[in-house]
Amino acid sequence: MKKKIIFTGGGTAGHVTVNLALIPKFAQDGWEIKYIGSENGIEKQLVARLDHVPYAGIATGKLRRYFDWNNFKDPFRVIKGIFQAYSLIKREKPNILFSKGGFVSVPVVLAAWLNRVPVIIHESDITPGLANKIAMPFATRICTTFPETTKGLDKKKAVYVGAIIRDELKRGNRERGLAFCGFQADKPVLLIMGGSLGSQKINQVVRQNLDSLMRYFQIVHLCGKGQVDETLDQPGYKQFEYINEELADVMAMADMVISRAGSNSIFEFLYLKKPMLLIPLSRAASRGDQILNAESFRKMGYCEVLQEEEISTKTFLQKVADVFNNRDRYIAEMSKSNSDETMNQVIEMIKQLAK
């Protein structure tokens, strides 16, 4: 009889990436796979690209740390989501649930626990997000990407595993990336990523200094939904809201990256040995997780960091120059890292805990 696994996680691409990496492995092994996400979240679009992975959308609320009138409505949506997820899981009878986090995961994890289904949670950042903090008491195992994360968690549940890298990123081709963007082979390529939702702060400083950057680089700019500036269309500068199929090739051709400091992305850059300038989300706009992620990488010698509050034309261009001029040193440090075994370790854990 086929074993069955349900995946959950969403809200941003970062809460789906690890699931997208694991799903093909279980499909190859003959497992039946389902996905539970929000009714209209980005996870629905991303999972739709996968063959034979049924998607179920449930009601959910956003877990905010600030005042918003929706805070009074969302608990009722979460309760509705719990009932929906409970019914789904009771009907599907999965052997295990794998959760990547995000606000949609809370009702799904709780519903799995109520159905006595083992739950594995994956936490990418150094400090757990609010959704995972709420869900962790109901988990069987908690996988962490950073070793520091396990210190604040239940020792019986927490396991440091490292980062899970999507197989398709390992197959990227520089020549295909150059052809996709229409770039030359003899001029360095700068890749700029602001996360799946984009970053107005990064977009702004890049565009203000575009002429200076383009003296030295060809630039591919992933600027987020609705943030393409059509007035800046010119040779050597390519803008995209988001890239799916061609992302591996685009990353393969990059000589340097400017990015937010979301865990999934920076570990992918680490695996691919791409020198990084990280501009983490400020504490004013987040819980500070990206600042901690970036600082951990800086201490390891993998990147340079520029805080949002310190951004100016002078500091930005100086940091870009520092990273690019010292790229060989960063590549040498990143070459000492090894994350190849993480995927197999997590897959084996899932198989062992599946009831």
Side-chain angles (χ1 to χ4, degrees):
M1 191 172 175
K2 274 188 178 182
K3 286 203 170 183
K4 184 183 293 186
I5 181 169
I6 290 180
F7 288 89
T8 189
T12 66
H15 286 127
V16 190
T17 301
V18 169
N19 292 341
L20 297 180
L22 289 169
I23 285 171
K25 300 293 185 181
F26 285 91
Q28 289 169 14
D29 286 348
W31 285 52
E32 190 176 346
I33 301 165
K34 309 283 184 180
Y35 202 107
I36 300 178
S38 58
E39 291 167 336
N40 295 300
I42 191 173
E43 62 273 22
K44 185 175 183 178
Q45 303 168 36
L46 295 173
V47 174
R49 296 189 290 119
L50 303 175
D51 293 329
H52 312 301
V53 180
Y55 183 94
I58 63 169
T60 185
K62 186 174 181 180
L63 301 170
R64 302 174 185 86
R65 297 168 182 267
Y66 53 87
F67 176 80
D68 189 292
W69 287 111
N70 283 314
N71 290 345
F72 298 100
K73 302 177 184 177
D74 284 358
F76 297 101
R77 296 191 184 107
V78 173
I79 292 169
K80 181 180 178 182
I82 292 171
F83 280 106
Q84 290 174 317
Y86 180 85
S87 297
L88 280 165
I89 292 171
K90 186 177 179 64
R91 182 177 72 244
E92 294 292 343
K93 295 181 172 57
N95 300 96
I96 196 160
L97 173 81
F98 185 89
S99 170
K100 186 57 195 72
F103 51 83
V104 71
S105 70
V106 175
V108 185
V109 168
L110 182 55
W113 179 78
L114 290 170
N115 276 292
R116 301 183 182 276
V117 173
V119 175
I120 295 180
I121 288 176
H122 186 276
E123 175 54 59
S124 292
D125 296 310
I126 289 182
T127 58
L130 181 56
N132 272 351
K133 278 185 177 178
I134 295 171
M136 281 173 177
F138 307 101
T140 310
R141 288 287 185 279
I142 304 164
C143 299
T144 72
T145 302
F146 291 89
E148 301 99 310
T149 311
T150 59
K151 295 176 184 177
L153 303 178
D154 185 335
K155 293 180 180 178
K156 295 179 182 178
K157 294 183 178 182
V159 181
Y160 164 61
V161 296
I164 295 174
I165 307 298
R166 291 173 285 171
D167 278 349
E168 59 262 34
L169 291 183
K170 303 172 185 179
R171 299 190 289 267
N173 180 276
R174 175 178 170 80
E175 285 68 34
R176 286 199 303 262
L178 292 170
F180 174 68
C181 291
F183 287 173
Q184 306 166 18
D186 57 354
K187 187 175 182 180
V189 174
L190 175 62
L191 170 61
I192 299 162
M193 296 178 65
S196 60
L197 303 179
S199 165
Q200 291 185 355
K201 195 77 173 180
I202 293 178
N203 293 347
Q204 182 181 27
V205 71
V206 166
R207 288 165 176 162
Q208 286 174 347
N209 295 282
L210 196 56
D211 290 341
S212 297
L213 292 171
M214 290 188 66
R215 291 177 197 160
Y216 306 99
F217 300 102
Q218 300 170 103
I219 299 172
V220 54
H221 187 175
L222 309 190
C223 46
K225 188 174 182 179
Q227 298 195 51
V228 170
D229 187 341
E230 302 290 354
T231 66
L232 297 175
D233 184 22
Q234 57 184 296
Y237 177 64
K238 293 290 290 185
Q239 302 174 78
F240 301 95
E241 289 188 346
Y242 191 75
I243 297 177
N244 287 320
E245 287 79 8
E246 300 87 358
L247 182 60
D249 297 331
V250 168
M251 291 174 72
M253 76 168 171
D255 297 285
M256 177 184 160
V257 177
I258 297 173
S259 175
R260 284 299 195 192
S263 175
N264 294 316
S265 294
I266 64 177
F267 273 100
E268 288 172 350
F269 300 143
L270 169 60
Y271 181 88
L272 297 171
K273 301 175 182 60
K274 302 296 177 181
M276 297 170 250
L277 171 59
L278 300 182
I279 305 177
L281 270 168
S282 68
R283 289 191 182 277
S286 71
R287 59 187 169 87
D289 51 303
Q290 290 198 9
I291 295 173
L292 295 175
N293 294 348
E295 185 59 21
S296 175
F297 265 43
R298 188 194 66 78
K299 287 179 180 178
M300 296 293 288
Y302 301 155
C303 71
E304 188 54 77
V305 179
L306 177 60
Q307 303 297 343
E308 275 198 358
E309 297 83 356
E310 299 170 356
I311 290 179
S312 67
T313 290
K314 181 179 179 181
T315 58
F316 176 69
L317 292 178
Q318 185 60 58
K319 290 283 189 180
V320 171
D322 288 346
V323 173
F324 188 70
N325 292 336
N326 293 289
R327 59 190 181 280
D328 291 341
R329 175 164 57 84
Y330 291 112
I331 291 170
E333 289 300 321
M334 288 188 280
S335 297
K336 300 174 185 176
S337 171
N338 182 13
S339 57
D340 277 342
E341 290 304 313
T342 299
M343 176 87 77
N344 293 334
Q345 184 180 350
V346 172
I347 290 171
E348 191 58 34
M349 183 189 304
I350 292 171
K351 289 180 177 179
Q352 288 178 1
L353 291 177
K355 67 177 186 179

